[in-house]
Amino acid sequence: MSGVQKIEVAKDDGDQRLDRWFRRMFPHIAQGRIEKMCRKGDIRVDGGRVKASTRVQEGQLVRIPPLPDPHEITARAKTYDMISNADMKMIQNAVLYRDDDIIAINKPAGLPTQGGSKQTRHVDMLADALRFGYDQKPRLVHRLDKDTSGILLLARTRQVASRLTEAFRDRETRKIYWAAVGGCPAPKMGTIKYGLVKSGGQGHEKMICVHPDEVQRTEGAKRATTDYMVLSAAAKRCAWVALVPVTGRTHQLRVHMAEMGHPIIGDGKYGGSGQENQGDGWGAQLGGDISRKMHLHARCIILPHPVTGKTLKIIAPMPEHMQRTWDTFAWDERDVADDPFEEYL
């Protein structure tokens, strides 16, 4: 990373747009990056703020902020080149919201948030296609399970990542999930407070519930709280529920609903893989034309913008397999509020 420089516009370089002059001097810097540095006042001409379209003249002094070295850009380009055109289009089309500070995507079901020992295709890798002119890819600030779809936030700078992390930790963000569950929970609104602890088995990570009174006496257990509300039901066969994770434990919503006896449809890990659900709630598959994929979707997020402080609300359309299920049961998203719990807060 170079330091601050001041470069005089040469005789033959006068009377041209600043961005064109800049890219002739530093061809490894993207246009979007130049425009952002102008907006922030990092690039100045004779000490004054300028736009990318400002025309520079012979003899003027251009302030150049610290820039990444060309070899750093080349290293990032190699990662970028690993992304297929189809994946690049997919992840860019998944963008729900974007500004100078954050990006929100509608993560597809089946796409991991981060890589693992057998995962080479995931959001963190594909985020290189979401730089949109920035030198660095956006940073993950929270996660969604591989088979859960919906809103995933990424920070475009280190400072914003820190602020968003604090907002999640201090519970300044509010996340509303939609799910289809086996049976119909009763009562139709409530709070689940079972703690969670990792099971002692080998292999895939799995969580088990611990009674609230036993959390302090159970090694490794953590308190967990989930608010739920039934939004509609297909008799006792299946229900559309809204879920708010007050805490953010691993697999929290999935484990809590299974503990109630109403596992999320498609969640074979916690609800079993059997097709039969006779209406008593147990069984994570409904059979027939209902998809066997996970029916859990991060539908809405409400938070203060990490820079402006203004309330930001983002809504994510449901994935195709969930929309088909909603159509099957004649559930209409227009019948419910974005945050159905709001009147009870």
Side-chain angles (χ1 to χ4, degrees):
M1 185 77 74
S2 63
V4 174
Q5 308 173 60
K6 288 188 177 180
I7 300 178
E8 182 177 340
V9 179
K11 180 179 179 180
D12 295 334
D13 288 338
D15 196 28
Q16 65 173 308
R17 285 174 56 114
L18 171 63
D19 53 1
R20 291 175 183 168
W21 176 88
F22 200 102
R23 294 204 69 176
R24 284 185 61 193
M25 301 295 294
F26 306 99
H28 63 290
I29 303 300
Q31 176 71 22
R33 176 66 173 173
I34 297 170
E35 293 174 1
K36 184 184 179 185
M37 289 189 292
C38 288
R39 289 197 302 271
K40 293 177 63 179
D42 292 337
I43 298 175
R44 294 176 178 254
V45 175
D46 287 343
R49 297 176 74 100
V50 288
K51 296 181 179 179
S53 59
T54 299
R55 301 190 79 83
V56 294
Q57 303 298 331
E58 175 188 345
Q60 288 184 315
L61 281 179
V62 182
R63 179 191 185 275
I64 311 296
L67 300 175
D69 296 328
H71 75 271
E72 295 178 5
I73 300 294
T74 302
R76 284 196 297 272
K78 289 180 180 179
T79 303
Y80 189 82
D81 289 342
M82 291 171 59
I83 303 173
S84 69
N85 289 334
D87 276 344
M88 186 178 301
K89 183 177 180 181
M90 178 275 295
I91 201 68
Q92 291 178 349
N93 286 343
V95 173
L96 297 168
Y97 175 87
R98 184 183 98 195
D99 61 24
D100 288 345
D101 306 299
I102 64 175
I103 293 175
I105 67 167
N106 188 1
K107 187 188 82 66
L111 179 65
T113 302
Q114 292 177 296
S117 58
K118 297 181 180 180
Q119 301 289 350
T120 57
R121 179 179 177 271
H122 46 82
V123 174
D124 193 32
M125 184 270 283
L126 297 177
D128 254 306
L130 300 177
R131 286 186 276 127
F132 299 114
Y134 279 43
D135 289 336
Q136 296 183 341
K137 70 179 184 181
R139 297 166 168 81
L140 293 165
V141 293
H142 66 124
R143 294 178 57 185
L144 290 176
D145 291 346
K146 174 184 175 182
D147 295 320
T148 301
S149 60
I151 298 170
L152 192 65
L153 291 182
L154 299 97
R156 304 193 74 181
T157 66
R158 183 178 292 105
Q159 294 83 355
V160 170
S162 178
R163 293 176 191 174
L164 285 174
T165 299
E166 289 177 6
F168 278 101
R169 184 182 63 235
D170 298 339
R171 300 180 187 174
E172 295 175 358
T173 60
R174 184 164 178 78
K175 294 180 285 184
I176 298 97
Y177 288 71
W178 281 0
V181 303
C184 184
K188 292 191 174 182
M189 180 177 178
T191 300
I192 308 166
K193 294 186 176 181
Y194 277 93
L196 297 176
V197 65
K198 289 183 181 180
S199 65
Q202 298 295 318
H204 297 295
E205 182 181 57
K206 191 169 184 178
M207 309 300 288
I208 57 176
C209 280
V210 177
H211 191 278
D213 293 341
E214 298 297 322
V215 171
Q216 284 189 324
R217 294 190 288 270
T218 304
E219 184 178 357
K222 296 181 179 179
R223 296 194 180 278
T225 305
T226 299
D227 292 331
Y228 76 89
M229 180 187 293
V230 176
L231 302 178
S232 190
K236 294 183 178 180
R237 181 78 166 163
C238 182
W240 168 15
V241 298
L243 302 166
V244 172
V246 180
T247 54
R249 311 302 184 197
T250 301
H251 299 172
Q252 176 179 316
L253 302 181
R254 299 164 59 186
V255 186
H256 273 174
M257 294 313 297
E259 184 69 16
M260 285 187 71
H262 301 286
I264 294 170
I265 300 303
D267 189 359
K269 186 168 194 170
Y270 292 105
S273 58
Q275 288 283 353
E276 293 300 319
N277 180 331
Q278 301 301 325
D280 56 359
W282 192 254
Q285 300 296 344
L286 295 179
D289 294 331
I290 302 300
S291 173
R292 294 177 63 88
K293 294 181 179 179
M294 180 91 77
H295 283 59
L296 179 61
H297 178 66
R299 168 68 177 181
C300 176
I301 189 166
I302 304 168
L303 74 159
H305 191 281
V307 175
T308 68
K310 294 181 179 180
T311 299
L312 182 64
K313 179 168 69 175
I314 303 171
I315 305 291
M318 284 188 294
E320 183 182 356
H321 73 278
M322 286 183 65
Q323 187 62 61
R324 289 200 306 268
T325 298
W326 261 238
D327 292 342
T328 297
F329 293 116
W331 294 338
D332 192 332
E333 61 187 58
R334 294 172 295 183
D335 293 337
V336 303
D338 294 331
D339 185 354
F341 300 87
E342 186 173 16
E343 62 180 294
Y344 302 98
L345 296 177

